[in-house]
């Protein structure tokens, strides 16, 4: 009897505690969102309360915890954790602001310019010809391209849909009609050299980029100073990306690329909750 009991104890799963570096405000927001959703769909019962479900999903997003690990530590199935994750990501993504509304809000608050930049989120390499379009020659890795806009302080206000990693910043901006939306809101934008040629209006440019030297043209002292000042002005956009990439699930996406847009927009909402607390 003793040996049998010892073997049974050896098969018990080991569970450890881990600190989740998020505010109570974020957890409560997610829990309230889930409670309202359950009331809307008239779902009377879940195996765990909304607050506990929110913590589990946030752990998956923040620490990139595996679903099977979170399931085993909370006495539920991996499928259940996956369903909770997808459900809450969908609810959060629905709260992400639209581009035109976000720009109008910035203009209404007295803002004059926004910051725009593109980034690559690494993904797992998949076999087949179709995955070649996700290879970025610039970064020499497979990934998905996203375009983001921030305010002057680096607060994320909008993020584009996911596109193949080889997509150029200008191509993504043209597809989203960034120039037209900026003119409609009466705002300007600071961008890097990747957006040169997007705005060809010399008299009244909306998108301002720096100067690039070439073999036949060396930058004048004035052009160098203007480029330096512009680089300082658009530095906060990198801070916005840094806050977003604190969610370790973005270290290397394993989700379906078709769901990546929804995931990034959900993380944008969570990031703003954390940054603006």
């Amino acid at each position: 009897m003793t040996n049998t009991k010892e073997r049974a104890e050896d098969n018990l799963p080991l569970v450890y505690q881990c600190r989740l570096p998020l505010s109570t405000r974020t957890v409560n927001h997610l829990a309230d969102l889930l409670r309202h959703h359950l009331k809307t769909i008239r779902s009377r019962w879940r195996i765990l309360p909304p607050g506990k479900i929110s913590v589990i999903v946030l752990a998956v997003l923040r620490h990139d915890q595996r679903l099977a690990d979170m399931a085993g530590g909370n006495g539920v199935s991996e499928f259940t954790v996956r369903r909770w994750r997808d459900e809450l990501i969908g609810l959060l993504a629905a709260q992400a602001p639209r581009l035109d509304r976000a720009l109008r809000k910035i203009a209404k608050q007295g803002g004059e310019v926004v910051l725009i930049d593109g980034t690559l989120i690494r993904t797992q390499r998949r076999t087949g010809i179709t995955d070649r379009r996700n290879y970025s020659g610039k970064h020499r890795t497979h990934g998905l391209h996203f375009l983001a806009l921030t305010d002057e302080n680096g607060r994320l206000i909008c993020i584009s849909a996911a596109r193949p990693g080889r997509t150029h910043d200008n191509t993504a901006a043209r597809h989203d009609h960034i120039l037209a939306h900026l003119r409609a809101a009466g705002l300007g934008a600071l961008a890097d050299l990747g957006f040169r040629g997007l705005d060809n209006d010399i008299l009244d440019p909306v998108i301002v980029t720096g100067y690039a030297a070439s073999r036949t043209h060396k930058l004048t002292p004035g052009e160098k100073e203007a480029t330096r000042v512009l680089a300082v002005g658009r530095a906060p956009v990198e801070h916005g990306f840094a806050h977003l990439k604190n969610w370790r699930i973005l270290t290397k996406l394993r989700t379906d690329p078709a769901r990546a847009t929804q995931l990034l927009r959900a993380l944008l909402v969570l990031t703003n909750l954390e940054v603006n607390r």
Side-chain angles (χ1 to χ4, degrees):
M1 294 295 293
T2 303
N3 293 337
T4 304
K5 184 177 181 180
E6 289 179 354
R7 287 196 297 270
E9 291 178 351
D10 289 341
N11 293 330
L12 292 176
L14 299 176
V15 180
Y16 67 93
Q17 291 183 338
C18 180
R19 177 177 175 270
L20 190 60
L22 296 173
S23 65
T24 305
R25 174 189 176 187
T26 300
V27 178
N28 291 338
H29 177 84
L30 202 56
D32 291 341
L33 198 62
L34 180 57
R35 291 190 188 98
H36 182 267
H37 174 67
L38 295 179
K39 185 177 180 180
T40 301
I41 65 176
R42 298 182 179 180
S43 176
R44 298 182 179 179
W45 180 84
R46 290 287 169 93
I47 193 171
L48 293 177
K52 183 66 174 179
I53 294 174
S54 300
V55 171
I56 292 173
V57 173
L58 288 172
V60 171
L61 300 178
R62 190 68 171 190
H63 290 311
D64 196 19
Q65 294 284 358
R66 301 301 187 266
L67 301 182
D69 295 339
M70 296 303 300
N74 292 278
V76 295
S77 68
E78 180 180 352
F79 173 80
T80 299
V81 176
R82 179 179 290 106
R83 180 166 53 84
W84 289 343
R85 180 202 64 185
D86 295 342
E87 186 177 44
L88 286 176
I89 285 176
L91 294 174
L92 286 169
Q95 294 188 322
R98 286 173 38 182
L99 176 59
D100 53 348
R101 295 177 182 175
L103 293 178
R104 284 200 299 266
K105 183 178 180 181
I106 294 294
K108 188 176 181 180
Q109 293 173 348
E112 296 181 353
V113 297
V114 295
L115 312 178
I116 181 173
D117 202 0
T119 189
L120 186 82
I121 304 297
R122 294 181 61 195
T123 61
Q124 283 185 327
R125 180 177 179 179
R126 293 176 171 81
T127 59
I129 299 177
T130 55
D131 195 47
R132 292 180 182 176
R133 56 204 297 263
N134 291 331
Y135 181 79
S136 170
K138 176 182 177 181
H139 298 89
R140 298 183 179 180
T141 187
H142 286 76
L144 295 174
H145 179 275
F146 289 89
L147 206 63
L149 281 81
T150 72
D151 60 14
E152 299 177 54
N153 298 318
R155 178 181 177 272
L156 288 165
I157 59 175
C158 190
I159 196 162
S160 72
R163 294 188 175 88
R166 68 182 184 184
T167 305
H168 194 276
D169 289 340
N170 269 357
T171 303
R174 290 191 180 99
H175 189 276
D176 289 339
H177 307 288
I178 296 293
L179 195 59
H181 285 296
L182 288 171
R183 291 191 185 280
L187 295 174
L190 304 182
D192 60 14
L193 296 178
F195 292 88
R196 290 189 66 196
L198 180 61
D199 186 2
N200 294 320
D201 192 337
I202 300 176
L203 298 178
D204 186 23
V206 172
I207 297 180
V208 181
T209 62
Y211 296 92
S214 64
R215 294 181 180 179
T216 59
H217 174 71
K218 293 184 179 180
L219 298 183
T220 65
E223 290 174 339
K224 290 181 180 179
E225 180 63 18
T227 302
R228 186 192 68 80
V229 172
L230 179 66
V232 173
R234 58 173 302 276
V237 72
E238 303 296 341
H239 301 160
F241 279 133
H243 288 305
L244 183 66
K245 292 181 180 180
N246 278 335
W247 299 92
R248 296 178 188 170
I249 195 172
L250 299 181
T251 303
K252 180 176 283 189
L253 282 179
R254 293 181 299 277
T255 187
D256 186 344
R259 298 182 179 180
T261 299
Q262 198 174 46
L263 172 62
L264 263 292
R265 288 176 176 169
L267 295 181
L268 181 147
V269 175
L270 292 174
T271 299
N272 287 337
L273 284 172
E274 283 296 299
V275 172
N276 299 326
R277 62 182 176 180

